Amino acid sequence: MKVVVGQGSCGIASGAKKTEEALKELIKKNDLKDVKLDKTGCIGTCYLEPIVDVYNDEGELEARYVKVYAENVDRIVEEHLKNKNIVKDMLISDEDAAILSSQDRIVLRNCGVINPERIEEYVKRDGYKAAKKALTKMTPEEVIEVIKISGLRGRGGAGFPTWFKWDAARRNDADEKYIVCNADEGDPGAFMDRSVLEGDPNAVLEGMIIGGYAMGATEGVIYVRAEYPLAIIRLEIALEQARKKGYLGKGIFGTDIDFDIRIKAGAGAFVCGEETALIASLEGERGMPRLKPPFPAQKGYWQKPTNINNVETYANVAWIIRNGGEAFAARGTQKSNGSKVFALAGKIKKGGLVEVPMGLPIKEVIYKMGGGIKEDKEFKAVQMGGPSGGCIPASLVDTPVDYESIGKTGAIVGSGGMIVMDETTCMVDMARYFLDFTRDESCGKCNYCRIGTKRMLEILERITNGEGKPGDIELLEELAMKIRDGAMCGLGQTAPNPVLTTIRYFRNEYEDHIYNHKCTAKSCKALISYSISDKCVGCTLCAKNCPVDAISGKVKQKHVIDNDKCIKCGKCAEHCKFQAVNVE
C-alpha cells in the first residue's frame, strides 16, 4: 500500500508538510511496515489541499482524501490503513472528482500522479520514449513536420506557431545554437508553469531535448524566476537523474548527439518574460528588450540562433511525438488546436488549475470547472492574459476560449491566467491595479512605456480617489493609443489593454466616478460612506469590531457612525447580523 501526499507549493502552503510528518509518525507508531509514504505535485484542485491519495498494492487509487490536516490524519491511519475501511466523509466529492475526470490532461497528465523527484516514475508512464524515437528514428525535418501537423502554438502569450520558430532556428547555420525555456512566469494570478515544473519537470526536459534536436541546438537553458525555489529544486533533481540515465550529456540515447540543459535563476522582473529581455538577462545584462529584427532565431543568445518557448509549450511536445500530430490537432478548434491549462483565481469558488480543450466557452470554464462565483454573487468580468490582456464582461461569457475569439474581445489568451471578478469589483480600480503593476515593472528603456504608463496611472488614481475630471476618459484613450503604437516591446505595447477594455465595456463606471462621484461597486473608499439604518437593534457588535472607535450608541438602541473617524474598512458591515449597515 502507498500513501501519497500532494506537495506542490499550494499543498505545502496549506500544511502538507505537517500532514506528511503526522502520517510518518503514526505509520511508524502503528508499525505499518507494508505502507509506503510518498509525495507528488499539485493535481490542480488547489482549493482542496492538502490532498492525500491511498493506492493499493496493485497501484490502483483506493481513495483520495481532501483537506487532510495534521490533526485529522489519525482517522485515515486508524480506519483505512489499519482496518481497511475508507473514511467516506473525508473523500473528494463526486462533483470535484468529476471536474478532474472531465479534463483533457496532456500537459498535466502526470501532475499529482507521479513523484516528480523520481525519474523512474516518469519513465514508467512512457517518459523519454518520444525523445528516443525522435533522436533515433526521425530526422529534424520530420520532427518539425509532426509539430506543424499538430498545430501547437506557443502557450506563453502570443500563440505563435511552434514549428515555425523551430524551423527558423534550424535553417540558420551556426557552430552553436541554443534552446531556451521561458519559465519567468510573471502575470498576477498565473501559476501554470510553476505547477508543471514542480509536478512534472521531466516532461519539460523531454520537450526541450526534442526541440533542441529539431533545430540543432548544442545547449538548453531553463530561465526560471528565483521566487520558484521548489520548482528549481525539482528541476535540479530531474536534470541530475536524466544525466545518469544518459538522456542528457554526451552521446544521449546512444547516439552521437551531445546535448545538456542548465538552469538560470532570474531575479523576477516581469519584462524578462519578453524574449529579447530574457536573452539580455541570460547574458548578464540588465533585462531590457531590443528591437526586432533580427529575431532570436537569427541572432539570439550570444548572437547565435536561439529558440524560446515557455514551459507549457515544451510539456506538450513529447505527447505529440508519441501520439502523432493528428491526435493533438483533433482537439480544440481549427486554428487553436489542443488543450490549454488555465489558472483560476479571484472571486471563484474552486481556484486552481484546469486543462481543457481550446474552444470551450468561458462560461463552462468558470462555472463547470471553477464551480462558479464565491458566495453565489453575480459574475461581472474575467481578466485574461494578465497585465497584457484585458477584461471580458459577463455579457461575453459564451465566448470560446481560443486565440482568435478572445483576441476579438480586446483581451488575449496569454499564458492562461483567469482572474474572476464579481459585482463587488470596481473595474476602474482593477485597471488601476494592472497599470500600477506595469508601471513598476517597466524596464524604462523607451519613453512611451516608462512615462506613458505613469501618466495613465496618475489619472486612474485621481479617478478612484474621487478627483476625476471631465476629459479624463478621452485622455486615457489617447495615451493608451500612443503607448500601444510607440512602445518598443510587446509588454509595453499591450500595457494599456486592461484600461482600454474596461473603458470599452464599463465606461459607465468611469463616468460614475468622474461625474457622479460614486463607485458602482461600492469599493473605492474615497467615494463611499457608511451609515446605520433603523434595522439596528443595538447589539453593539459593530462598535466592538470598529478599529478606530467611530461607532457610538447604547445597548438595544440604534448606533451612529462618525464619518470623520471612519476609515471605511467595512468591519461594521462584515459583523452586523441584521444588515443594518448601509454602504452608499
Side-chain angles (χ1 to χ4, degrees):
M1 182 176 284
K2 184 169 73 169
V3 179
V4 181
V5 182
Q7 292 190 51
S9 289
C10 54
I12 293 171
S14 299
K17 284 289 185 184
K18 293 180 180 179
T19 298
E20 181 189 37
E21 287 300 316
L23 278 167
K24 186 177 181 180
E25 184 180 333
L26 288 172
I27 289 170
K28 183 179 180 180
K29 181 180 178 181
N30 288 276
D31 197 28
L32 300 174
K33 294 179 181 178
D34 61 331
V35 176
K36 179 184 176 184
L37 190 58
D38 209 348
K39 71 176 79 170
T40 187
C42 173
I43 200 166
T45 52
C46 305
Y47 60 97
L48 297 176
E49 296 286 359
I51 297 173
V52 174
D53 291 340
V54 180
Y55 292 85
N56 62 25
D57 293 335
E58 286 72 44
E60 298 168 337
L61 181 64
E62 277 192 351
R64 173 161 288 148
Y65 297 112
V66 299
K67 298 184 179 180
V68 184
Y69 304 104
E71 53 267 28
N72 58 8
V73 157
D74 57 332
R75 292 191 60 201
I76 296 173
V77 175
E78 185 66 30
E79 297 178 40
H80 192 160
L81 303 187
K82 284 181 66 177
N83 298 314
K84 312 303 179 185
N85 295 317
I86 292 174
V87 189
K88 293 184 178 179
D89 61 308
M90 293 179 67
L91 287 173
I92 187 172
S93 69
D94 291 341
E95 180 184 346
D96 291 323
I99 290 172
L100 281 171
S101 62
S102 64
Q103 294 179 39
D104 192 7
R105 294 167 76 91
I106 295 176
V107 171
L108 302 179
R109 59 191 179 273
N110 296 321
C111 292
V113 179
I114 65 171
N115 185 332
E117 297 179 14
R118 198 156 33 240
I119 196 171
E120 292 79 12
E121 293 196 18
Y122 179 73
V123 171
K124 191 176 179 180
R125 290 174 65 87
D126 296 330
Y128 288 104
K129 283 186 177 179
K132 185 176 182 179
K133 175 184 175 182
L135 272 65
T136 61
K137 296 181 180 179
M138 301 172 71
T139 65
E141 292 80 8
E142 287 172 337
V143 171
I144 291 173
E145 182 62 23
V146 172
I147 300 300
K148 182 178 181 179
I149 291 169
S150 74
L152 175 65
R153 296 169 66 170
R155 297 303 199 236
F160 199 76
T162 302
W163 76 270
F164 190 91
K165 292 178 73 172
W166 289 14
D167 192 54
R170 182 187 67 83
R171 291 176 183 275
N172 282 289
D173 293 327
D175 56 340
E176 292 178 336
K177 294 183 183 181
Y178 298 94
I179 185 165
V180 177
C181 176
N182 181 353
D184 189 63
E185 187 174 48
D187 290 6
F191 46 94
M192 301 76 59
D193 291 355
R194 172 178 58 76
S195 291
V196 173
L197 292 175
E198 291 176 355
D200 193 16
N202 282 287
V204 180
L205 301 187
E206 187 175 12
M208 291 182 70
I209 291 168
I210 295 167
Y213 169 69
M215 64 169 282
T218 49
E219 185 182 358
V221 184
I222 300 175
Y223 186 93
V224 56
R225 52 179 46 217
E227 290 101 322
Y228 286 178
L230 184 59
I232 292 173
I233 289 169
R234 290 182 175 167
L235 273 172
E236 288 172 340
I237 292 170
L239 286 168
E240 183 181 351
Q241 293 176 348
R243 291 186 190 108
K244 288 181 179 178
K245 288 278 188 180
Y247 304 152
L248 289 172
K250 300 285 186 181
I252 60 176
F253 296 97
T255 68
D256 59 356
I257 299 171
D258 300 338
F259 180 77
D260 208 342
I261 299 172
R262 63 181 174 87
I263 298 169
K264 165 67 176 178
F270 179 66
V271 74
C272 286
E274 196 278 336
E275 58 183 7
T276 61
L278 186 155
I279 289 169
S281 180
L282 277 179
E283 293 174 343
E285 302 294 330
R286 183 177 176 186
M288 301 179 84
R290 60 166 173 78
L291 291 173
K292 295 181 283 190
F295 294 95
Q298 300 164 307
K299 291 184 178 181
Y301 185 41
W302 300 127
Q303 298 299 300
K304 303 292 184 180
T306 304
N307 179 82
I308 302 176
N309 289 115
N310 85 321
V311 169
E312 188 180 342
T313 308
Y314 288 125
N316 277 295
V317 171
W319 189 96
I320 293 170
I321 296 297
R322 281 203 319 272
N323 295 278
E326 295 85 357
F328 190 84
R331 292 164 161 81
T333 68
Q334 187 174 1
K335 292 183 178 180
S336 298
N337 303 124
S339 61
K340 179 75 187 76
V341 181
F342 291 100
L344 303 180
K347 304 295 182 68
I348 195 159
K349 289 180 180 178
K350 300 181 178 182
L353 294 180
V354 298
E355 185 173 1
V356 296
M358 282 283 202
L360 206 67
I362 294 173
K363 183 177 183 179
E364 194 162 339
V365 176
I366 292 174
Y367 284 93
K368 182 179 177 181
M369 300 296 173
I373 312 303
K374 281 183 180 178
E375 301 176 12
D376 294 320
K377 290 185 177 179
E378 186 179 344
F379 169 58
K380 189 172 190 178
V382 59
Q383 173 78 14
M384 287 190 65
S388 299
C391 289
I392 302 173
S395 59
L396 299 178
V397 75
D398 292 318
T399 301
V401 179
D402 61 60
Y403 293 105
E404 287 71 32
S405 301
I406 296 299
K408 290 176 183 177
T409 68
I412 60 173
V413 172
S415 59
M418 281 192 177
I419 300 178
V420 179
M421 293 162 269
D422 66 14
E423 62 198 68
T424 65
T425 305
C426 172
M427 303 311 295
V428 185
D429 190 54
M430 180 59 66
R432 182 207 58 77
Y433 167 81
F434 280 108
L435 253 293
D436 184 47
F437 179 86
T438 48
R439 187 276 313 266
D440 285 346
E441 294 292 338
S442 172
C443 75
K445 187 171 185 177
C446 62
N447 291 339
Y448 283 101
C449 183
R450 183 181 71 249
I451 300 173
T453 54
K454 181 176 175 61
R455 293 294 169 255
M456 287 186 74
L457 177 62
E458 289 170 349
I459 296 168
L460 289 166
E461 285 176 337
R462 280 199 293 99
I463 294 174
T464 54
N465 286 330
E467 299 168 357
K469 303 174 183 177
D472 275 349
I473 300 174
E474 292 74 19
L475 183 54
L476 281 170
E477 290 175 319
E478 181 183 350
L479 284 169
M481 294 305 175
K482 290 185 182 298
I483 296 168
R484 191 173 69 179
D485 294 339
M488 179 179 290
C489 77
L491 297 185
Q493 292 160 9
T494 55
N497 282 352
V499 180
L500 289 173
T501 52
T502 50
I503 291 176
R504 177 178 175 181
Y505 298 117
F506 300 97
R507 194 182 189 96
N508 63 304
E509 291 199 23
Y510 281 83
E511 292 171 344
D512 273 348
H513 279 69
I514 295 169
Y515 300 108
N516 301 324
H517 299 287
K518 287 185 178 180
C519 175
T520 309
K522 299 178 180 180
S523 172
C524 297
K525 289 185 178 181
L527 296 172
I528 60 173
S529 62
Y530 286 81
S531 62
I532 296 176
S533 71
D534 292 335
K535 292 180 182 179
C536 177
V537 298
C539 71
T540 74
L541 271 178
C542 59
K544 288 177 180 177
N545 286 282
C546 179
V548 292
D549 297 324
I551 302 175
S552 59
K554 296 181 179 180
V555 177
K556 295 185 179 181
Q557 292 184 11
K558 180 182 174 183
H559 282 47
V560 177
I561 296 176
D562 184 341
N563 281 296
D564 291 331
K565 290 184 179 180
C566 179
I567 59 172
K568 303 170 186 179
C569 65
K571 291 290 183 182
C572 51
E574 181 183 329
H575 287 89
C576 182
K577 297 179 180 179
F578 303 95
Q579 297 181 329
V581 179
N582 295 327
V583 186
E584 299 293 341

